[in-house]
Amino acid sequence: MAEGLSISARAASRYASALFELMSGDNQISDLEKDIATLQEVLANSEDFKRFISSPIHTRDETRLSMGKIADYLGLGTYVKNTLGLMAMKRRLFVLPQFLDELKRLIDEYKGIVEVKVVVAHQLLDDEKQKLITSLEKKIGKEIHPIIKVDHSLIGGMRVSIGSKLIDSSIRTKLIKMKNKLQEVD
């Protein structure tokens, strides 16, 4: 199963890289962002579309033609429409969610935006969230794209992941460290 996931991730990455290069070369990044948002909205709200992209029952041509009609209906750009058509012909539409995630990552990297994962002990209010974002951007020196999740087991504080760097200031971790030190004294 893990092997299948890595194959999917590689396929998504290849298609995303090719599309990104084409569209960035033609200065169409904002058009690409709109198309990504449209496709993500359809994925989030249409069970029929999710079934369509993962269904093996249609021929390659039927899938390609249907995907072309869907792309036209959604108003997607030519490059995106053609990429989706190619993915349909190669029976790779099932990687669409990973493909869109990889495109967003490439766009963020292109714009100098850093993805930061933050795990907090409780839901943040809007002003708390904005203060956190401002503080992290100041510390990192770049614009960030925060992904904030709640984990009540942290008790208090937070964990921040920037790439491979982890900053853990959760109360849970501090209590575990204190417990370990007390056990060393025994």
Side-chain angles (χ1 to χ4, degrees):
M1 191 63 136
E3 184 177 304
L5 289 175
S6 71
I7 290 170
S8 296
R10 283 193 306 253
S13 179
R14 283 194 309 267
Y15 286 109
S17 295
L19 179 60
F20 177 78
E21 279 194 36
L22 281 171
M23 294 193 76
S24 64
D26 283 354
N27 294 317
Q28 294 184 18
I29 295 297
S30 62
D31 293 337
L32 180 57
E33 288 177 304
K34 289 176 193 168
D35 288 351
I36 291 169
T38 299
L39 285 166
Q40 286 182 320
E41 184 177 337
V42 172
L43 275 171
N45 297 316
S46 175
E47 290 301 318
D48 289 337
F49 186 68
K50 286 182 203 175
R51 279 192 296 279
F52 168 72
I53 65 170
S54 60
S55 175
I57 64 172
H58 303 288
T59 67
R60 293 171 191 256
D61 282 332
E62 289 171 339
T63 304
R64 181 183 54 79
L65 290 171
S66 296
M67 192 67 243
K69 289 178 183 176
I70 292 168
D72 287 339
Y73 176 79
L74 295 173
L76 301 177
T78 304
Y79 286 139
V80 173
K81 177 183 173 182
N82 291 343
T83 301
L84 294 174
L86 177 63
M87 291 170 70
M89 284 300 292
K90 299 288 187 178
R91 296 212 181 270
R92 295 289 186 262
L93 280 178
F94 68 93
V95 302
L96 188 60
Q98 297 104 316
F99 167 75
L100 296 173
D101 289 344
E102 181 63 12
L103 279 171
K104 285 186 70 123
R105 189 194 67 73
L106 289 168
I107 291 169
D108 284 350
E109 186 177 291
Y110 175 78
K111 291 181 167 183
I113 299 171
V114 177
E115 183 177 276
V116 177
K117 295 176 184 166
V118 181
V119 181
V120 293
H122 62 86
Q123 190 67 40
L124 297 176
L125 300 173
D126 288 340
D127 63 324
E128 291 175 320
K129 194 181 295 185
Q130 192 53 52
K131 285 179 185 176
L132 174 64
I133 291 169
T134 303
S135 173
L136 288 170
E137 285 179 340
K138 188 176 179 181
K139 190 119 180 134
I140 296 170
K142 292 185 177 184
E143 184 179 343
I144 68 165
H145 174 252
I147 298 172
I148 301 174
K149 295 186 179 182
V150 176
D151 179 357
H152 298 292
S153 72
L154 296 181
I155 305 169
M158 68 182 73
R159 284 192 313 240
V160 179
S161 298
I162 307 165
S164 62
K165 185 176 183 181
L166 174 67
I167 303 164
D168 190 341
S169 65
S170 67
I171 291 176
R172 177 180 173 201
T173 300
K174 290 178 182 178
L175 287 172
I176 290 170
K177 286 179 181 178
M178 191 182 308
K179 178 184 172 188
N180 290 340
K181 285 186 180 190
L182 288 173
Q183 286 177 341
E184 288 175 9
V185 173
D186 287 341

